[in-house]
Amino acid sequence: MFDYFLPQSLRNFVDSIFSPPLSFLQLARSYLNNASLVAGHGISLNNYFGFFGYLPPSMQAVINSLLASIVLLAVLQLVKVIMRMYFAFKDGAKWW
């Protein structure tokens, strides 16, 4: 639009100043586009736990119970940490 107002040397100077941030933003945009494609597919746990399929059904049940108990304990630990933070904040605010 305003190309005919700027001399070529000034245009090259301005392009050299804004080229690195522009290339960084374009690279970040391409990485985010690729990340959204990967996140859209989801994670298949069979890729990580597929070798348990070779075990007998009774051992698979033990492994499933073990993994479920680990997840349950992790959730309970998170609840405990959140409640401790809540009570510490509540005790810190004397006006409450």
Side-chain angles (χ1 to χ4, degrees), residues 59-70:
M59 287 302 293
Q60 287 181 7
V62 169
I63 298 294
N64 287 337
S65 298
L66 181 66
L67 291 175
S69 64
I70 289 173

Side-chain angles (χ1 to χ4, degrees), residues 3-17:
D3 291 339
Y4 54 88
F5 289 123
L6 293 175
Q8 187 64 32
S9 61
L10 184 60
R11 180 191 289 166
N12 291 341
F13 177 71
V14 170
D15 286 344
S16 68
I17 291 174

Side-chain angles (χ1 to χ4, degrees), residues 8-75:
Q8 187 64 32
S9 61
L10 184 60
R11 180 191 289 166
N12 291 341
F13 177 71
V14 170
D15 286 344
S16 68
I17 291 174
F18 289 109
S19 178
L22 185 61
S23 64
F24 175 75
L25 290 174
Q26 289 172 344
L27 183 65
R29 185 181 69 183
S30 69
Y31 279 143
L32 289 175
N33 285 337
N34 290 337
S36 68
L37 291 175
V38 171
H41 291 297
I43 296 174
S44 175
L45 294 179
N46 290 334
N47 295 339
Y48 303 104
F49 298 119
F51 55 89
F52 289 133
Y54 296 114
L55 295 174
S58 59
M59 287 302 293
Q60 287 181 7
V62 169
I63 298 294
N64 287 337
S65 298
L66 181 66
L67 291 175
S69 64
I70 289 173
V71 169
L72 178 66
L73 289 175
V75 168

Side-chain angles (χ1 to χ4, degrees), residues 70-84:
I70 289 173
V71 169
L72 178 66
L73 289 175
V75 168
L76 290 176
Q77 186 69 24
L78 283 173
V79 168
K80 186 172 88 172
V81 167
I82 290 170
M83 289 303 293
R84 279 187 184 173

